[in-house]
Amino acid sequence: MIITIDGPAGSGKSTTARKLAARLGIPYLDTGAMYRAVTLAALEAGVDLNDEAALTAVAEREDYQLDLGPTHIRVTLNGRDVTEEIRSMHVNDHTRFIAGSPGVRRILIQKQREIGVRIGDLVTEGRDQGTAAFPDAEIKFFLDAAAEKRAERRLHELLADGEEVTFEQVLANVNERDRTDSERPVAPLSVPEGAIRLDTTHLSIAEVLDTIMTRLREAGLVQPEKDALVTAPPKARH
Ligand code: DC
């Protein structure tokens, strides 16, 4: 069963996806980490970030792997653990080139679908999971929140990481990312057809999770009174 969670930066989708997966005991896929790993690979390879063919070649050639679990995700690039490095401001500032490359998107969507087939039950989050990667997912969510609230959440994370930033800088960055995410010609951020929309501005993560669990139960995808997926009955053997 595939559960997709899409939304803009700071909408709470990463934390929600991680906690939801842990609660259901299934892996979660942070697709942003894939775009970040390709960004780091392209920066290290020194390619021109406006060169579509070069970016596609990096996404095709480099070996970036995701180790998925219900409570963790580790990312390696050519065998080196880059889990922390892909979260740096340097990588942050360049992801838009990689996210705007049709060739890279085609390759990453293909990899995401392969992961879905291999793993089976998955919570996957990003910008295009319910639209492009898994349009036939069993259930889709779209999380959003006011820009000021999203900037406030991001500011807390960055300060906790020891970055020296102000609220105004982070808000400007959130607004800029919203603009590039929704205006890019390739796969702009949009609400997937049939998605359940949640405005998380005034909700805690626990409240978002409870709402999602309720919707999963209502859809008959999670067992009543339990945090377990409803699994399809085994096929009769003859
Ligand atoms: O969610 P994030 O900040 O880790 O995403 C990193 C970058 O990748 C950001 O520029 C948005 C982009 N992205 C995307 O275009 N499609 C996805 N499915 C996931 C992320």
Side-chain angles (χ1 to χ4, degrees):
M1 178 187 312
I2 304 285
I3 300 170
T4 65
I5 303 184
D6 290 302
S11 58
K13 63 185 187 312
S14 303
T15 314
T16 303
R18 196 170 62 241
K19 294 202 175 227
L20 177 65
R23 195 146 156 186
L24 296 172
I26 63 176
Y28 83 99
L29 176 60
D30 167 4
T31 59
M34 299 172 90
Y35 287 89
R36 288 169 178 274
V38 176
T39 304
L40 182 61
L43 289 169
E44 290 188 347
V47 302
D48 175 356
L49 298 184
N50 288 304
D51 183 340
E52 167 65 12
L55 291 183
T56 308
V58 166
E60 229 154 31
R61 175 185 73 216
E62 304 289 329
D63 177 23
Y64 42 97
Q65 305 276 345
L66 271 69
D67 172 16
L68 309 181
T71 56
H72 73 277
I73 185 162
R74 298 221 69 80
V75 185
T76 56
L77 174 61
N78 298 320
R80 185 175 103 238
D81 190 328
V82 293
T83 311
E84 320 295 330
E85 215 174 325
I86 58 167
R87 307 276 156 207
S88 68
M89 282 300 260
H90 184 52
V91 168
N92 251 2
D93 289 345
H94 295 93
T95 54
R96 68 179 188 282
F97 294 97
I98 277 58
S101 154
V104 173
R105 298 203 76 89
R106 184 173 32 78
I107 292 166
L108 293 191
I109 287 173
Q110 182 59 35
K111 284 182 188 281
Q112 289 153 15
R113 289 185 181 150
E114 282 165 15
I115 291 171
V117 168
R118 178 161 51 82
I119 293 187
D121 292 327
L122 186 68
V123 178
T124 180
E125 60 103 343
R127 307 289 192 285
D128 61 348
Q129 295 304 283
T131 47
F134 299 102
D136 299 328
E138 276 79 358
I139 193 158
K140 306 174 189 178
F141 293 92
F142 188 88
L143 269 47
D144 205 353
E148 287 73 17
K149 187 72 185 182
R150 292 187 284 122
E152 197 183 296
R153 290 173 182 159
R154 186 80 187 111
L155 178 69
H156 283 302
E157 278 171 21
L158 289 169
L159 293 178
D161 286 349
E163 303 259 4
E164 286 184 17
V165 281
T166 64
F167 175 75
E168 286 69 29
Q169 285 170 326
V170 180
L171 180 60
N173 186 269
V174 163
N175 284 327
E176 175 59 15
R177 281 181 58 173
D178 279 0
R179 201 181 58 74
T180 51
D181 270 351
S182 56
E183 287 180 7
R184 69 169 167 244
V186 187
L189 175 68
S190 61
V191 183
E193 210 186 308
I196 296 164
R197 296 178 71 148
L198 294 178
D199 182 341
T200 70
T201 309
H202 302 293
L203 298 180
S204 65
I205 290 290
E207 288 168 328
V208 176
L209 259 184
D210 282 346
T211 308
I212 290 183
M213 288 302 288
T214 303
R215 302 306 289 259
L216 290 173
R217 287 201 181 89
E218 284 170 1
L221 300 173
V222 164
Q223 297 177 25
E225 316 298 330
K226 279 193 192 164
D227 288 346
L229 291 179
V230 171
T231 43
K235 289 204 176 87
R237 290 172 197 276
H238 298 286

PDB file of all heavy atoms in Angstrom, residues 147-182:
ATOM      1  N   ALA A 147       2.721  30.722   5.215  1.00  0.00           N
ATOM      2  CA  ALA A 147       4.170  30.890   4.997  1.00  0.00           C
ATOM      3  C   ALA A 147       4.898  31.298   6.284  1.00  0.00           C
ATOM      4  O   ALA A 147       5.983  30.796   6.575  1.00  0.00           O
ATOM      5  CB  ALA A 147       4.409  31.927   3.895  1.00  0.00           C
ATOM      6  N   GLU A 148       4.278  32.190   7.082  1.00  0.00           N
ATOM      7  CA  GLU A 148       4.929  32.654   8.326  1.00  0.00           C
ATOM      8  C   GLU A 148       5.133  31.491   9.288  1.00  0.00           C
ATOM      9  O   GLU A 148       6.148  31.388   9.958  1.00  0.00           O
ATOM     10  CB  GLU A 148       4.090  33.739   9.019  1.00  0.00           C
ATOM     11  CG  GLU A 148       4.093  35.091   8.340  1.00  0.00           C
ATOM     12  CD  GLU A 148       3.274  35.088   7.059  1.00  0.00           C
ATOM     13  OE1 GLU A 148       2.463  34.153   6.869  1.00  0.00           O
ATOM     14  OE2 GLU A 148       3.467  36.012   6.230  1.00  0.00           O
ATOM     15  N   LYS A 149       4.153  30.601   9.345  1.00  0.00           N
ATOM     16  CA  LYS A 149       4.246  29.459  10.251  1.00  0.00           C
ATOM     17  C   LYS A 149       5.336  28.502   9.764  1.00  0.00           C
ATOM     18  O   LYS A 149       6.112  27.957  10.548  1.00  0.00           O
ATOM     19  CB  LYS A 149       2.881  28.744  10.291  1.00  0.00           C
ATOM     20  CG  LYS A 149       2.797  27.650  11.315  1.00  0.00           C
ATOM     21  CD  LYS A 149       2.753  28.226  12.712  1.00  0.00           C
ATOM     22  CE  LYS A 149       2.800  27.148  13.768  1.00  0.00           C
ATOM     23  NZ  LYS A 149       2.702  27.709  15.105  1.00  0.00           N
ATOM     24  N   ARG A 150       5.391  28.299   8.464  1.00  0.00           N
ATOM     25  CA  ARG A 150       6.393  27.386   7.908  1.00  0.00           C
ATOM     26  C   ARG A 150       7.797  27.955   8.130  1.00  0.00           C
ATOM     27  O   ARG A 150       8.736  27.218   8.432  1.00  0.00           O
ATOM     28  CB  ARG A 150       6.104  27.138   6.424  1.00  0.00           C
ATOM     29  CG  ARG A 150       4.810  26.338   6.248  1.00  0.00           C
ATOM     30  CD  ARG A 150       4.568  25.921   4.822  1.00  0.00           C
ATOM     31  NE  ARG A 150       4.103  26.994   3.980  1.00  0.00           N
ATOM     32  CZ  ARG A 150       4.711  27.418   2.886  1.00  0.00           C
ATOM     33  NH1 ARG A 150       5.824  26.855   2.475  1.00  0.00           N
ATOM     34  NH2 ARG A 150       4.215  28.398   2.178  1.00  0.00           N
ATOM     35  N   ALA A 151       7.931  29.290   8.009  1.00  0.00           N
ATOM     36  CA  ALA A 151       9.233  29.924   8.240  1.00  0.00           C
ATOM     37  C   ALA A 151       9.643  29.774   9.712  1.00  0.00           C
ATOM     38  O   ALA A 151      10.801  29.501  10.026  1.00  0.00           O
ATOM     39  CB  ALA A 151       9.168  31.398   7.856  1.00  0.00           C
ATOM     40  N   GLU A 152       8.659  29.912  10.591  1.00  0.00           N
ATOM     41  CA  GLU A 152       8.926  29.791  12.033  1.00  0.00           C
ATOM     42  C   GLU A 152       9.457  28.387  12.354  1.00  0.00           C
ATOM     43  O   GLU A 152      10.437  28.234  13.074  1.00  0.00           O
ATOM     44  CB  GLU A 152       7.590  30.017  12.745  1.00  0.00           C
ATOM     45  CG  GLU A 152       7.650  30.337  14.206  1.00  0.00           C
ATOM     46  CD  GLU A 152       6.208  30.448  14.719  1.00  0.00           C
ATOM     47  OE1 GLU A 152       5.481  31.359  14.253  1.00  0.00           O
ATOM     48  OE2 GLU A 152       5.808  29.593  15.551  1.00  0.00           O
ATOM     49  N   ARG A 153       8.839  27.354  11.752  1.00  0.00           N
ATOM     50  CA  ARG A 153       9.275  25.961  11.989  1.00  0.00           C
ATOM     51  C   ARG A 153      10.686  25.757  11.458  1.00  0.00           C
ATOM     52  O   ARG A 153      11.531  25.139  12.105  1.00  0.00           O
ATOM     53  CB  ARG A 153       8.316  24.992  11.279  1.00  0.00           C
ATOM     54  CG  ARG A 153       6.948  24.932  11.930  1.00  0.00           C
ATOM     55  CD  ARG A 153       6.000  24.100  11.079  1.00  0.00           C
ATOM     56  NE  ARG A 153       4.667  24.054  11.655  1.00  0.00           N
ATOM     57  CZ  ARG A 153       3.574  23.754  10.964  1.00  0.00           C
ATOM     58  NH1 ARG A 153       3.647  23.480   9.682  1.00  0.00           N
ATOM     59  NH2 ARG A 153       2.397  23.729  11.563  1.00  0.00           N
ATOM     60  N   ARG A 154      10.932  26.270  10.262  1.00  0.00           N
ATOM     61  CA  ARG A 154      12.250  26.106   9.631  1.00  0.00           C
ATOM     62  C   ARG A 154      13.309  26.838  10.458  1.00  0.00           C
ATOM     63  O   ARG A 154      14.424  26.346  10.621  1.00  0.00           O
ATOM     64  CB  ARG A 154      12.168  26.664   8.203  1.00  0.00           C
ATOM     65  CG  ARG A 154      13.381  26.464   7.363  1.00  0.00           C
ATOM     66  CD  ARG A 154      13.449  25.064   6.772  1.00  0.00           C
ATOM     67  NE  ARG A 154      14.736  24.883   6.090  1.00  0.00           N
ATOM     68  CZ  ARG A 154      15.693  24.084   6.511  1.00  0.00           C
ATOM     69  NH1 ARG A 154      15.540  23.347   7.581  1.00  0.00           N
ATOM     70  NH2 ARG A 154      16.831  23.994   5.861  1.00  0.00           N
ATOM     71  N   LEU A 155      12.953  28.026  10.984  1.00  0.00           N
ATOM     72  CA  LEU A 155      13.897  28.810  11.795  1.00  0.00           C
ATOM     73  C   LEU A 155      14.340  27.989  13.010  1.00  0.00           C
ATOM     74  O   LEU A 155      15.527  27.916  13.327  1.00  0.00           O
ATOM     75  CB  LEU A 155      13.244  30.123  12.237  1.00  0.00           C
ATOM     76  CG  LEU A 155      14.101  31.023  13.141  1.00  0.00           C
ATOM     77  CD1 LEU A 155      15.284  31.600  12.348  1.00  0.00           C
ATOM     78  CD2 LEU A 155      13.277  32.176  13.715  1.00  0.00           C
ATOM     79  N   HIS A 156      13.396  27.344  13.679  1.00  0.00           N
ATOM     80  CA  HIS A 156      13.727  26.518  14.853  1.00  0.00           C
ATOM     81  C   HIS A 156      14.716  25.422  14.483  1.00  0.00           C
ATOM     82  O   HIS A 156      15.671  25.180  15.208  1.00  0.00           O
ATOM     83  CB  HIS A 156      12.459  25.896  15.450  1.00  0.00           C
ATOM     84  CG  HIS A 156      11.660  26.878  16.242  1.00  0.00           C
ATOM     85  ND1 HIS A 156      12.171  27.552  17.320  1.00  0.00           N
ATOM     86  CD2 HIS A 156      10.390  27.330  16.108  1.00  0.00           C
ATOM     87  CE1 HIS A 156      11.256  28.373  17.815  1.00  0.00           C
ATOM     88  NE2 HIS A 156      10.165  28.260  17.082  1.00  0.00           N
ATOM     89  N   GLU A 157      14.467  24.764  13.352  1.00  0.00           N
ATOM     90  CA  GLU A 157      15.354  23.678  12.906  1.00  0.00           C
ATOM     91  C   GLU A 157      16.764  24.204  12.641  1.00  0.00           C
ATOM     92  O   GLU A 157      17.754  23.617  13.073  1.00  0.00           O
ATOM     93  CB  GLU A 157      14.848  23.083  11.581  1.00  0.00           C
ATOM     94  CG  GLU A 157      13.744  22.063  11.714  1.00  0.00           C
ATOM     95  CD  GLU A 157      13.176  21.703  10.337  1.00  0.00           C
ATOM     96  OE1 GLU A 157      13.859  21.921   9.308  1.00  0.00           O
ATOM     97  OE2 GLU A 157      12.049  21.227  10.315  1.00  0.00           O
ATOM     98  N   LEU A 158      16.834  25.344  11.925  1.00  0.00           N
ATOM     99  CA  LEU A 158      18.145  25.887  11.549  1.00  0.00           C
ATOM    100  C   LEU A 158      18.908  26.363  12.778  1.00  0.00           C
ATOM    101  O   LEU A 158      20.112  26.132  12.901  1.00  0.00           O
ATOM    102  CB  LEU A 158      17.977  27.042  10.552  1.00  0.00           C
ATOM    103  CG  LEU A 158      17.514  26.618   9.152  1.00  0.00           C
ATOM    104  CD1 LEU A 158      17.116  27.830   8.319  1.00  0.00           C
ATOM    105  CD2 LEU A 158      18.614  25.852   8.431  1.00  0.00           C
ATOM    106  N   LEU A 159      18.207  27.008  13.720  1.00  0.00           N
ATOM    107  CA  LEU A 159      18.874  27.476  14.942  1.00  0.00           C
ATOM    108  C   LEU A 159      19.387  26.277  15.747  1.00  0.00           C
ATOM    109  O   LEU A 159      20.490  26.301  16.286  1.00  0.00           O
ATOM    110  CB  LEU A 159      17.926  28.331  15.796  1.00  0.00           C
ATOM    111  CG  LEU A 159      17.522  29.684  15.185  1.00  0.00           C
ATOM    112  CD1 LEU A 159      16.553  30.417  16.098  1.00  0.00           C
ATOM    113  CD2 LEU A 159      18.741  30.566  14.907  1.00  0.00           C
ATOM    114  N   ALA A 160      18.585  25.213  15.766  1.00  0.00           N
ATOM    115  CA  ALA A 160      18.995  24.000  16.485  1.00  0.00           C
ATOM    116  C   ALA A 160      20.239  23.393  15.838  1.00  0.00           C
ATOM    117  O   ALA A 160      21.071  22.781  16.509  1.00  0.00           O
ATOM    118  CB  ALA A 160      17.863  22.986  16.504  1.00  0.00           C
ATOM    119  N   ASP A 161      20.387  23.595  14.515  1.00  0.00           N
ATOM    120  CA  ASP A 161      21.562  23.077  13.805  1.00  0.00           C
ATOM    121  C   ASP A 161      22.756  24.020  13.907  1.00  0.00           C
ATOM    122  O   ASP A 161      23.791  23.798  13.276  1.00  0.00           O
ATOM    123  CB  ASP A 161      21.241  22.879  12.315  1.00  0.00           C
ATOM    124  CG  ASP A 161      20.351  21.661  12.102  1.00  0.00           C
ATOM    125  OD1 ASP A 161      20.184  20.894  13.058  1.00  0.00           O
ATOM    126  OD2 ASP A 161      19.832  21.504  10.976  1.00  0.00           O
ATOM    127  N   GLY A 162      22.581  25.136  14.639  1.00  0.00           N
ATOM    128  CA  GLY A 162      23.690  26.060  14.839  1.00  0.00           C
ATOM    129  C   GLY A 162      23.874  27.076  13.713  1.00  0.00           C
ATOM    130  O   GLY A 162      24.873  27.793  13.670  1.00  0.00           O
ATOM    131  N   GLU A 163      22.891  27.163  12.783  1.00  0.00           N
ATOM    132  CA  GLU A 163      22.993  28.151  11.693  1.00  0.00           C
ATOM    133  C   GLU A 163      22.604  29.526  12.252  1.00  0.00           C
ATOM    134  O   GLU A 163      21.725  29.629  13.102  1.00  0.00           O
ATOM    135  CB  GLU A 163      22.036  27.797  10.542  1.00  0.00           C
ATOM    136  CG  GLU A 163      22.247  26.425   9.954  1.00  0.00           C
ATOM    137  CD  GLU A 163      23.028  26.435   8.642  1.00  0.00           C
ATOM    138  OE1 GLU A 163      23.488  27.506   8.212  1.00  0.00           O
ATOM    139  OE2 GLU A 163      23.172  25.346   8.067  1.00  0.00           O
ATOM    140  N   GLU A 164      23.281  30.583  11.761  1.00  0.00           N
ATOM    141  CA  GLU A 164      22.945  31.936  12.224  1.00  0.00           C
ATOM    142  C   GLU A 164      22.032  32.600  11.203  1.00  0.00           C
ATOM    143  O   GLU A 164      22.493  33.106  10.186  1.00  0.00           O
ATOM    144  CB  GLU A 164      24.216  32.757  12.418  1.00  0.00           C
ATOM    145  CG  GLU A 164      24.964  32.326  13.657  1.00  0.00           C
ATOM    146  CD  GLU A 164      26.183  33.186  13.939  1.00  0.00           C
ATOM    147  OE1 GLU A 164      26.284  34.297  13.390  1.00  0.00           O
ATOM    148  OE2 GLU A 164      27.038  32.713  14.695  1.00  0.00           O
ATOM    149  N   VAL A 165      20.734  32.568  11.460  1.00  0.00           N
ATOM    150  CA  VAL A 165      19.774  33.142  10.512  1.00  0.00           C
ATOM    151  C   VAL A 165      18.692  33.896  11.275  1.00  0.00           C
ATOM    152  O   VAL A 165      18.457  33.640  12.459  1.00  0.00           O
ATOM    153  CB  VAL A 165      19.078  32.063   9.646  1.00  0.00           C
ATOM    154  CG1 VAL A 165      19.947  31.585   8.523  1.00  0.00           C
ATOM    155  CG2 VAL A 165      18.602  30.890  10.492  1.00  0.00           C
ATOM    156  N   THR A 166      18.031  34.835  10.588  1.00  0.00           N
ATOM    157  CA  THR A 166      16.925  35.566  11.208  1.00  0.00           C
ATOM    158  C   THR A 166      15.612  35.074  10.610  1.00  0.00           C
ATOM    159  O   THR A 166      15.596  34.446   9.545  1.00  0.00           O
ATOM    160  CB  THR A 166      17.043  37.082  10.915  1.00  0.00           C
ATOM    161  OG1 THR A 166      16.907  37.265   9.504  1.00  0.00           O
ATOM    162  CG2 THR A 166      18.370  37.634  11.397  1.00  0.00           C
ATOM    163  N   PHE A 167      14.517  35.403  11.307  1.00  0.00           N
ATOM    164  CA  PHE A 167      13.191  35.013  10.822  1.00  0.00           C
ATOM    165  C   PHE A 167      12.945  35.597   9.426  1.00  0.00           C
ATOM    166  O   PHE A 167      12.442  34.920   8.528  1.00  0.00           O
ATOM    167  CB  PHE A 167      12.105  35.504  11.797  1.00  0.00           C
ATOM    168  CG  PHE A 167      10.712  35.241  11.301  1.00  0.00           C
ATOM    169  CD1 PHE A 167      10.165  33.962  11.331  1.00  0.00           C
ATOM    170  CD2 PHE A 167       9.945  36.284  10.778  1.00  0.00           C
ATOM    171  CE1 PHE A 167       8.891  33.720  10.851  1.00  0.00           C
ATOM    172  CE2 PHE A 167       8.663  36.048  10.293  1.00  0.00           C
ATOM    173  CZ  PHE A 167       8.137  34.760  10.334  1.00  0.00           C
ATOM    174  N   GLU A 168      13.359  36.864   9.224  1.00  0.00           N
ATOM    175  CA  GLU A 168      13.116  37.531   7.932  1.00  0.00           C
ATOM    176  C   GLU A 168      13.827  36.794   6.803  1.00  0.00           C
ATOM    177  O   GLU A 168      13.283  36.623   5.717  1.00  0.00           O
ATOM    178  CB  GLU A 168      13.604  38.989   7.982  1.00  0.00           C
ATOM    179  CG  GLU A 168      12.708  39.930   8.796  1.00  0.00           C
ATOM    180  CD  GLU A 168      12.745  39.648  10.283  1.00  0.00           C
ATOM    181  OE1 GLU A 168      13.789  39.152  10.798  1.00  0.00           O
ATOM    182  OE2 GLU A 168      11.711  39.896  10.964  1.00  0.00           O
ATOM    183  N   GLN A 169      15.064  36.355   7.072  1.00  0.00           N
ATOM    184  CA  GLN A 169      15.820  35.625   6.036  1.00  0.00           C
ATOM    185  C   GLN A 169      15.121  34.313   5.687  1.00  0.00           C
ATOM    186  O   GLN A 169      14.992  33.950   4.523  1.00  0.00           O
ATOM    187  CB  GLN A 169      17.238  35.298   6.522  1.00  0.00           C
ATOM    188  CG  GLN A 169      18.166  36.497   6.537  1.00  0.00           C
ATOM    189  CD  GLN A 169      19.481  36.169   7.257  1.00  0.00           C
ATOM    190  OE1 GLN A 169      19.494  35.398   8.211  1.00  0.00           O
ATOM    191  NE2 GLN A 169      20.565  36.763   6.796  1.00  0.00           N
ATOM    192  N   VAL A 170      14.670  33.610   6.729  1.00  0.00           N
ATOM    193  CA  VAL A 170      14.039  32.312   6.487  1.00  0.00           C
ATOM    194  C   VAL A 170      12.712  32.502   5.754  1.00  0.00           C
ATOM    195  O   VAL A 170      12.394  31.768   4.819  1.00  0.00           O
ATOM    196  CB  VAL A 170      13.835  31.533   7.811  1.00  0.00           C
ATOM    197  CG1 VAL A 170      13.179  30.184   7.550  1.00  0.00           C
ATOM    198  CG2 VAL A 170      15.166  31.321   8.508  1.00  0.00           C
ATOM    199  N   LEU A 171      11.948  33.540   6.144  1.00  0.00           N
ATOM    200  CA  LEU A 171      10.665  33.794   5.476  1.00  0.00           C
ATOM    201  C   LEU A 171      10.902  34.120   3.993  1.00  0.00           C
ATOM    202  O   LEU A 171      10.183  33.622   3.112  1.00  0.00           O
ATOM    203  CB  LEU A 171       9.919  34.946   6.166  1.00  0.00           C
ATOM    204  CG  LEU A 171       8.559  35.302   5.570  1.00  0.00           C
ATOM    205  CD1 LEU A 171       7.595  34.114   5.610  1.00  0.00           C
ATOM    206  CD2 LEU A 171       7.931  36.499   6.303  1.00  0.00           C
ATOM    207  N   ALA A 172      11.933  34.909   3.719  1.00  0.00           N
ATOM    208  CA  ALA A 172      12.247  35.249   2.320  1.00  0.00           C
ATOM    209  C   ALA A 172      12.596  33.977   1.551  1.00  0.00           C
ATOM    210  O   ALA A 172      12.164  33.782   0.410  1.00  0.00           O
ATOM    211  CB  ALA A 172      13.406  36.241   2.271  1.00  0.00           C
ATOM    212  N   ASN A 173      13.339  33.070   2.207  1.00  0.00           N
ATOM    213  CA  ASN A 173      13.734  31.801   1.580  1.00  0.00           C
ATOM    214  C   ASN A 173      12.509  30.911   1.320  1.00  0.00           C
ATOM    215  O   ASN A 173      12.383  30.303   0.253  1.00  0.00           O
ATOM    216  CB  ASN A 173      14.754  31.116   2.506  1.00  0.00           C
ATOM    217  CG  ASN A 173      15.337  29.872   1.884  1.00  0.00           C
ATOM    218  OD1 ASN A 173      14.795  28.794   2.085  1.00  0.00           O
ATOM    219  ND2 ASN A 173      16.408  30.006   1.112  1.00  0.00           N
ATOM    220  N   VAL A 174      11.584  30.875   2.279  1.00  0.00           N
ATOM    221  CA  VAL A 174      10.359  30.070   2.122  1.00  0.00           C
ATOM    222  C   VAL A 174       9.533  30.610   0.948  1.00  0.00           C
ATOM    223  O   VAL A 174       9.070  29.861   0.089  1.00  0.00           O
ATOM    224  CB  VAL A 174       9.522  30.083   3.432  1.00  0.00           C
ATOM    225  CG1 VAL A 174       8.086  29.633   3.185  1.00  0.00           C
ATOM    226  CG2 VAL A 174      10.166  29.192   4.479  1.00  0.00           C
ATOM    227  N   ASN A 175       9.392  31.949   0.892  1.00  0.00           N
ATOM    228  CA  ASN A 175       8.610  32.556  -0.194  1.00  0.00           C
ATOM    229  C   ASN A 175       9.258  32.293  -1.548  1.00  0.00           C
ATOM    230  O   ASN A 175       8.572  32.003  -2.528  1.00  0.00           O
ATOM    231  CB  ASN A 175       8.459  34.061   0.025  1.00  0.00           C
ATOM    232  CG  ASN A 175       7.416  34.344   1.104  1.00  0.00           C
ATOM    233  OD1 ASN A 175       6.441  33.610   1.245  1.00  0.00           O
ATOM    234  ND2 ASN A 175       7.626  35.398   1.873  1.00  0.00           N
ATOM    235  N   GLU A 176      10.592  32.363  -1.575  1.00  0.00           N
ATOM    236  CA  GLU A 176      11.322  32.133  -2.823  1.00  0.00           C
ATOM    237  C   GLU A 176      11.156  30.667  -3.264  1.00  0.00           C
ATOM    238  O   GLU A 176      10.921  30.370  -4.429  1.00  0.00           O
ATOM    239  CB  GLU A 176      12.810  32.481  -2.602  1.00  0.00           C
ATOM    240  CG  GLU A 176      13.737  32.198  -3.768  1.00  0.00           C
ATOM    241  CD  GLU A 176      13.351  32.956  -5.051  1.00  0.00           C
ATOM    242  OE1 GLU A 176      12.565  33.896  -4.982  1.00  0.00           O
ATOM    243  OE2 GLU A 176      13.827  32.532  -6.126  1.00  0.00           O
ATOM    244  N   ARG A 177      11.252  29.742  -2.291  1.00  0.00           N
ATOM    245  CA  ARG A 177      11.101  28.322  -2.641  1.00  0.00           C
ATOM    246  C   ARG A 177       9.678  28.009  -3.087  1.00  0.00           C
ATOM    247  O   ARG A 177       9.470  27.212  -3.993  1.00  0.00           O
ATOM    248  CB  ARG A 177      11.526  27.436  -1.464  1.00  0.00           C
ATOM    249  CG  ARG A 177      13.043  27.350  -1.415  1.00  0.00           C
ATOM    250  CD  ARG A 177      13.531  26.491  -0.301  1.00  0.00           C
ATOM    251  NE  ARG A 177      13.025  25.133  -0.356  1.00  0.00           N
ATOM    252  CZ  ARG A 177      13.430  24.165   0.449  1.00  0.00           C
ATOM    253  NH1 ARG A 177      14.338  24.406   1.352  1.00  0.00           N
ATOM    254  NH2 ARG A 177      12.939  22.960   0.361  1.00  0.00           N
ATOM    255  N   ASP A 178       8.692  28.647  -2.470  1.00  0.00           N
ATOM    256  CA  ASP A 178       7.302  28.461  -2.910  1.00  0.00           C
ATOM    257  C   ASP A 178       7.171  28.886  -4.365  1.00  0.00           C
ATOM    258  O   ASP A 178       6.528  28.220  -5.164  1.00  0.00           O
ATOM    259  CB  ASP A 178       6.350  29.356  -2.091  1.00  0.00           C
ATOM    260  CG  ASP A 178       6.015  28.747  -0.746  1.00  0.00           C
ATOM    261  OD1 ASP A 178       6.520  27.646  -0.451  1.00  0.00           O
ATOM    262  OD2 ASP A 178       5.257  29.373   0.019  1.00  0.00           O
ATOM    263  N   ARG A 179       7.800  30.031  -4.664  1.00  0.00           N
ATOM    264  CA  ARG A 179       7.690  30.568  -6.017  1.00  0.00           C
ATOM    265  C   ARG A 179       8.349  29.609  -7.016  1.00  0.00           C
ATOM    266  O   ARG A 179       7.732  29.234  -8.015  1.00  0.00           O
ATOM    267  CB  ARG A 179       8.363  31.944  -6.072  1.00  0.00           C
ATOM    268  CG  ARG A 179       7.903  32.811  -7.234  1.00  0.00           C
ATOM    269  CD  ARG A 179       8.616  34.147  -7.242  1.00  0.00           C
ATOM    270  NE  ARG A 179      10.078  33.997  -7.325  1.00  0.00           N
ATOM    271  CZ  ARG A 179      10.743  33.641  -8.404  1.00  0.00           C
ATOM    272  NH1 ARG A 179      10.094  33.378  -9.510  1.00  0.00           N
ATOM    273  NH2 ARG A 179      12.064  33.528  -8.379  1.00  0.00           N
ATOM    274  N   THR A 180       9.585  29.162  -6.711  1.00  0.00           N
ATOM    275  CA  THR A 180      10.270  28.282  -7.670  1.00  0.00           C
ATOM    276  C   THR A 180       9.571  26.919  -7.747  1.00  0.00           C
ATOM    277  O   THR A 180       9.463  26.343  -8.809  1.00  0.00           O
ATOM    278  CB  THR A 180      11.771  28.087  -7.339  1.00  0.00           C
ATOM    279  OG1 THR A 180      11.893  27.715  -5.979  1.00  0.00           O
ATOM    280  CG2 THR A 180      12.579  29.337  -7.594  1.00  0.00           C
ATOM    281  N   ASP A 181       9.065  26.430  -6.620  1.00  0.00           N
ATOM    282  CA  ASP A 181       8.372  25.126  -6.625  1.00  0.00           C
ATOM    283  C   ASP A 181       7.091  25.171  -7.454  1.00  0.00           C
ATOM    284  O   ASP A 181       6.763  24.216  -8.150  1.00  0.00           O
ATOM    285  CB  ASP A 181       7.986  24.710  -5.193  1.00  0.00           C
ATOM    286  CG  ASP A 181       9.080  23.900  -4.500  1.00  0.00           C
ATOM    287  OD1 ASP A 181      10.064  23.522  -5.169  1.00  0.00           O
ATOM    288  OD2 ASP A 181       8.947  23.671  -3.287  1.00  0.00           O
ATOM    289  N   SER A 182       6.340  26.280  -7.341  1.00  0.00           N
ATOM    290  CA  SER A 182       5.040  26.299  -8.021  1.00  0.00           C
ATOM    291  C   SER A 182       5.117  26.891  -9.427  1.00  0.00           C
ATOM    292  O   SER A 182       4.237  26.627 -10.242  1.00  0.00           O
ATOM    293  CB  SER A 182       3.998  27.030  -7.181  1.00  0.00           C
ATOM    294  OG  SER A 182       4.456  28.313  -6.893  1.00  0.00           O
TER     295      SER A 182
END
